[in-house]
Amino acid sequence: MIPETLKTYIETAIIPRYEHFDKAHNLSHVQMVMEESMALCKLYPETNPQMVYTIAAYHDLGLCKERETHHIISGEILMADKRLKEWFTEEEILIMKEAVEDHRASNKQEPRSIYGRIVAEADRQIDTDITLRRTVQYGLRQAPDASREWHYERFLHHLHEKYAPGGYLKLWIPESKNGERLRALQAVIANEEELRKRFDAIFEEETT
């Protein structure tokens, strides 16, 4: 399905870059996005698995510069990688660039292609425990000296802004498991006592 030459290049030259990113975007994250992308790809026979595989591998590379526009930078990195011309046409590379640009959860517009929808959906990885822990981890990375209460308020604000009903997170593939997982997460967010307990437990583990 994936040419060995492409697979070798991705595994040796692209994936290792994630070792330098934060815990929410490390090697396990990109590997999970790649696996989920390939699983979703099977639902759409018209898609090119090589493109799906490559898009997932490149989707967060822009974090090497900064977070806010990392999706745009990731697309630029993909577009500038001349090695990809060994496996893809210029049109395919442009589609992959756009898909990488469109993957970010805060994007208000629907991804421009099925490839963008696949990587965006795969990147959601909605799991209550993982989502809560990553939210705490990100806060600690940004403000390691802030108080516990500051971190809890930031944690609460982010969860409501992104995941609660009416939040900016959008799901693009009905067949994915994310709808059910999102509802489970929303139930925890709605239970403030339970949410506080979980935050405190994670905060203790991450700071000791």
Side-chain angles (χ1 to χ4, degrees), residues 93-105:
I93 290 172
L94 178 59
I95 291 171
M96 292 193 295
K97 170 184 178 285
E98 292 177 346
V100 167
E101 291 175 341
D102 292 346
H103 87 271
R104 195 172 183 190

Side-chain angles (χ1 to χ4, degrees), residues 175-187:
E175 299 92 341
S176 80
K177 300 176 182 177
N178 281 331
E180 182 180 343
R181 292 171 179 168
L182 180 59
R183 287 188 289 275
L185 174 58
Q186 289 173 339

